[in-house]
Structures are given as C-alpha cells and as structure tokens.
C-alpha cells in the first residue's frame, strides 16, 4: 500500500512538473513539420554523428523556410527560472516518461543554428538574434547575423559600440567577413576601444576593403606608433596589403622600422617593400649612416629582408662592420649573409670581423662567411678557433659547422671525425 501511494505521489509530482515545463508550449506559434517530422526533431538531427543525417536536417530546415522563423524566434525567447531548470533536471533523470525537454540555452543554440541555415529567409529574426550577442551564445549569434546577410549587417555594426567586449569581438570578426564597404566607418571607430583583441582583429580585417584605401590608410597611419606592438604590427600588415595606395603611410612605416619590437619592425619593413620597393631600399641604405645608433641598428636588420635585391646596400653594410655599436656590427653581418653579393668586398670584411672584440659579432660573421663557399677558405683557421670558443653551445656550434661545411667540406669532415 505504501508503495502504491508513493507511485501515485510521484506520478502527481511529475505531472505538475510536466505542466510547469510545457505550459509555455501552448502559447507558442505552431511548430512546422516536414515529411511528417516536427522542426525540433530535425534540430536534434543537426547534432547527429552522421554527416548525412546533419545534411538532411539542414535541407529540411531550408524547405520549411520562413514558416520556421516564428517558432525559432520563440525558442530564442525561452527563459528558464531556477525552478524550471531544476524541474527539467528532474524530468531528464526519470525514465518513466520520455519527454523532449530542453534548457533555455539549448533552445537558443539550436534556434541560432537553424536561423543561420535559413540565411536571408530569417531576416524577421534579426532583433532577437542581435539580443543574443551579449550572451554566452554571442559568437553563434554574430555568425547568424552574418549568414542572414544585408539585413543582419546593421545589427553587427551597432554591436561594435557595445559595452560588452565579447559582443564587440564577435561583431568585428563577422562584420569584416561581409566585405561591405558601409562597415568601414564602424570598424575604424572600433579601433578606439580598449580591448586589444578587438582592435587587432579589426586592424587585420580592414585589408578586406582595398576599395576604401583612401579612408582606411589615413586612419590606420595614426596607429603606427601605438604602444600595443601587436596592433601596430597588424596595422602595418594591412597598410602593406594596399600596396602603392598606402603611400601616405610611408614616413610613419619607415619610422616604425626603428621599433624596439622585432615583429613590429619586421611588419613595417615588409609593408614598405610592398608600397615602394626601390624607395624603401634606398631609405634603409641611407639610414646606415644615421647619427642615431638605433636607426643604424634597425635599418641593418631590416635589410636582411631584401636578400639578393639588397646588393646596393652592401658597401655601407661593410662599413657598418666597424660601427662603434656591437649590435649594428652584428646586424650588418647577418644582412651581408642574406644578401650574399659582392664577395670580393664582403669576404675580406667578414674575415676581419672574426677578430672583433664582441663574441656575438665573431660568431655571426663566421656563419655569414658560409654563404660565400670556397671563397672564404682563408678564414677556416679562425672559424675553427671560434668553434672551439663556443664549445658547449650546441646551436652555435651547429651553425658554425654548417658554414664550415659550405666553405671547406674536408675540414668539416675532419672536425666531425674527432
């Protein structure tokens, strides 16, 4: 008897929970069907293990088209009270009645996926999708607005001014993917926000708008000296992608070559080369004679990017091997190695640098001589001494050994046989 009353009580309790959970369904728009299956069944199939099942579900949702939108919007509006969440948890744990129950966030996620599949047909859902941008489903909401197309773009543009950092990030990511010129003004304004990720994402993404270079270039130029080196580097890369159209940014980029951050300096150099290769080579070569040691140092380093095309800079780079600053001398040796030109001038100069007072200069000069092969053979005795000097430093010894192999294979073989 006690068991009977327990069963009756449990059934009554479950009935109350079902009523509480399912009452909102009564007021929902009618759920559309396709091939005798309800929309929610097709939504479940989007999570199936089979790719074919997923594809069929997407096709079914497309067939329902705009008829599915009101129901999906209602799913987006689902809100769970604490009591309802606990009720759903209890219902999902019991095994007597098979009920199709979802938490609010699960409804939101499923609805957003379906609306993204519908694309432009889901334009009526834009306000409700936009409301999701500041929630945990913000990334999917931004993607859905992107998929909706032109009707979703204004919502993404508005999100760029949100106080929610994640909403701005997701909006920036998918707004740039649209490639719509009308978004440029909003994207440029987003560069003023404090979070680094959004700013860097926007700076890189603006390269998708080459037709708006006349607006973008002046705006981005203002960020070349930004203390955030990641942002400055991305700005430089985007300016470089505009080629000659970014010519107004040339002075700022040339100044940026002197950045203390290696990656930002490299990005500026590569951008300059895309804007005007010959002028960049000439400017950096002239900078080797600057009275500013930092300019000499960074210019010598930047010239490594030119490889064989940097031959016009060789005479001044050779001169830099006697610079008062050791880092200038070191960078010059590396540049001469990468350029690999004019051995009659360079080999004697690098051989002389093997006697430099600075160990790093001696090391890089010896490695640089490897680029000139047998022509550097007179330097072998000194290179062997430098190898001995760096004994215990495997990386340095390997670089020296590789150079020796290029200059005198027999000497390298004898060394390896020891």
């Amino acid at each position: 008897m006690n068991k009977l009353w327990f069963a009756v009580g449990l059934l009554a309790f479950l009935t109350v929970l079902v009523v509480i959970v399912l009452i909102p369904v009564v007021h929902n728009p009618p759920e559309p069907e396709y091939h005798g299956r309800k929309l929610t069944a097709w939504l479940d199939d989007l999570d199936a293990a089979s790719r074919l099942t997923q594809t069929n579900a997407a096709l079914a949702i497309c067939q329902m088209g705009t008829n599915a939108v009101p129901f999906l919007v209602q799913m987006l509006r689902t809100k769970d009270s604490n009591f309802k969440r606990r009720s759903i948890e209890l219902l999902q744990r019991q095994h007597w009645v098979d009920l199709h129950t979802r938490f609010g966030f699960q409804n939101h996620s499923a609805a957003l996926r379906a609306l993204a599949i519908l694309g432009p047909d889901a334009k009526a859902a834009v306000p409700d999708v936009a409301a999701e941008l500041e929630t945990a489903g913000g990334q999917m909401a931004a993607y859905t607005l992107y998929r909706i197309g032109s009707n979703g773009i204004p919502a993404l543009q508005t999100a760029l001014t949100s106080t929610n950092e994640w909403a701005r990030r997701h909006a920036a990511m998918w707004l740039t993917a649209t490639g719509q010129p009308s978004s440029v003004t909003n994207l440029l304004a987003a560069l003023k926000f404090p979070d680094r990720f959004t700013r860097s994402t926007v700076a890189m993404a603006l390269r998708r708008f080459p037709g708006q270079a006349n607006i973008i270039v002046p705006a981005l130029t203002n960020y070349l000296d930004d203390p955030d080196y990641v942002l400055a580097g991305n700005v430089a890369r985007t300016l470089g992608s505009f080629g000659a159209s970014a010519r107004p940014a040339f002075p700022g980029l040339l100044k940026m070559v002197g950045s203390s951050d290696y990656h930002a300096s490299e990005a500026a150099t590569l951008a300059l080369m895309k804007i005007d290769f010959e002028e960049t080579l000439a400017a950096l070569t002239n900078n080797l004679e600057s009275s500013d040691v930092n300019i000499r140092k960074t210019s010598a380093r930047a010239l490594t990017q030119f490889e064989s095309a940097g031959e016009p800079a060789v005479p001044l780079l050779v001169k830099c091997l006697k610079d008062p600053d050791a880092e200038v001398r070191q960078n010059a040796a590396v540049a001469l190695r990468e350029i690999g030109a004019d051995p009659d001038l360079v080999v004697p100069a690098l051989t002389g640098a093997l006697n430099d007072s600075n160990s790093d200069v001696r090391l890089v000069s010896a490695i640089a001589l490897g680029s000139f092969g047998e022509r550097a053979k007179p330097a072998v005795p000194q290179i062997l001494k430098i190898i001995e000097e760096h004994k215990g430093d495997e990386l340095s010894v390997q670089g020296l050994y590789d150079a020796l192999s290029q200059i005198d294979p027999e000497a390298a073989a004898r060394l390896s046989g020891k």
Side-chain angles (χ1 to χ4, degrees):
M1 190 69 177
N2 289 336
K3 289 184 178 180
L4 177 62
W5 281 110
F6 175 77
V8 170
L10 180 61
L11 182 60
F13 176 68
L14 290 174
T15 301
V16 172
L17 289 184
V18 169
V19 171
I20 291 172
V21 171
L22 297 184
I23 278 177
V25 174
V26 176
H27 303 287
N28 279 353
E31 183 173 357
E33 297 184 10
Y34 180 71
H35 282 189
R37 298 184 73 209
K38 291 184 178 297
L39 173 57
T40 48
W42 290 112
L43 292 178
D44 288 340
D45 283 355
L46 291 176
D47 293 318
S50 166
R51 190 65 65 85
L52 178 60
T53 302
Q54 294 176 20
T55 301
N56 288 337
L59 290 173
I61 291 168
C62 286
Q63 288 298 318
M64 289 184 238
T66 56
N67 291 331
V69 175
F71 187 84
L72 293 171
V73 166
Q74 192 60 44
M75 287 179 67
L76 280 180
R77 294 174 181 174
T78 303
K79 305 295 180 184
D80 292 343
S81 65
N82 288 334
F83 181 76
K84 183 177 178 181
R85 279 197 296 271
R86 290 170 184 167
S87 300
I88 292 175
E89 288 173 358
L90 287 172
L91 287 172
Q92 290 182 343
R93 288 176 186 170
Q94 57 82 33
H95 305 290
W96 293 283
V97 184
D98 185 16
L99 292 171
H100 192 83
T101 55
R102 279 195 180 96
F103 290 103
F105 74 88
Q106 292 173 317
N107 278 329
H108 293 197
S109 177
L112 287 172
R113 290 176 68 184
L115 291 167
I117 290 170
L118 289 172
D121 283 344
K123 63 183 180 180
V126 166
D128 292 278
V129 174
E132 294 292 305
L133 286 168
E134 296 189 9
T135 70
Q139 185 169 5
M140 189 63 201
Y143 172 69
T144 301
L145 290 169
Y146 161 72
R147 291 283 299 167
I148 289 173
S150 58
N151 288 288
I153 290 175
L156 288 173
Q157 292 174 336
T158 299
L160 283 176
T161 62
S162 169
T163 56
N164 184 290
E165 178 179 334
W166 288 99
R168 296 197 300 269
R169 290 187 184 188
H170 300 321
M173 182 184 302
W174 289 110
L175 189 58
T176 53
T178 67
Q180 291 290 329
S182 62
S183 300
V184 168
T185 301
N186 301 79
L187 289 166
L188 289 174
L191 288 172
K192 298 177 181 178
F193 281 99
D195 53 290
R196 298 178 64 190
F197 185 88
T198 299
R199 300 174 80 212
S200 293
T201 298
V202 169
M204 283 291 284
L206 284 166
R207 66 178 59 190
R208 295 178 63 91
F209 305 92
Q212 302 292 306
N214 61 320
I215 299 172
I216 296 172
V217 171
L220 287 186
T221 301
N222 295 325
Y223 293 92
L224 288 174
D225 58 355
D226 195 277
D228 181 350
Y229 291 129
V230 175
L231 172 65
N234 286 346
V235 165
R237 293 181 186 95
T238 294
L239 288 169
S241 72
F242 293 143
S245 297
R247 185 65 184 77
F250 196 95
L253 285 165
L254 189 60
K255 182 180 178 181
M256 186 178 163
V257 172
S259 170
S260 59
D261 182 79
Y262 172 78
H263 297 291
S265 176
E266 180 183 49
T269 301
L270 294 175
L272 286 165
M273 292 168 70
K274 291 177 181 179
I275 294 170
D276 192 324
F277 190 93
E278 296 299 329
E279 185 174 352
T280 301
L281 176 58
L284 292 174
T285 301
N286 290 336
N287 281 350
L288 295 176
E289 296 187 295
S290 171
S291 59
D292 186 326
V293 65
N294 185 61
I295 291 178
R296 298 199 304 275
K297 178 171 56 181
T298 54
S299 296
R301 182 177 66 194
L303 285 164
T304 62
Q305 301 294 331
F306 287 81
E307 299 181 342
S308 60
E311 186 173 357
V314 166
L316 286 180
L317 285 168
V318 166
K319 184 178 179 181
C320 283
L321 290 175
K322 296 185 181 296
D323 194 275
D325 184 81
E327 196 169 348
V328 173
R329 302 197 300 273
Q330 184 178 336
N331 289 349
V334 174
L336 289 168
R337 176 197 179 195
E338 295 301 313
I339 295 169
D342 202 350
D344 290 335
L345 176 62
V346 176
V347 171
L350 287 173
T351 301
L354 298 179
N355 296 313
D356 195 278
S357 59
N358 183 278
S359 175
D360 288 335
V361 175
R362 295 196 297 272
L363 172 65
V364 296
S365 296
I367 293 174
L369 282 166
S371 298
F372 298 93
E374 292 187 0
R375 302 193 65 145
K377 202 165 185 177
V380 168
Q382 288 170 283
I383 293 175
L384 290 171
K385 289 180 181 179
I386 294 173
I387 291 175
E388 187 66 26
E389 176 186 333
H390 288 273
K391 195 172 182 179
D393 181 350
E394 291 185 15
L395 189 61
S396 296
V397 169
Q398 185 60 54
L400 290 164
Y401 179 79
D402 291 343
L404 184 62
S405 298
Q406 293 174 295
I407 297 168
D408 190 339
E410 292 181 3
R414 289 194 298 271
L415 181 65
S416 63
K418 289 183 179 180

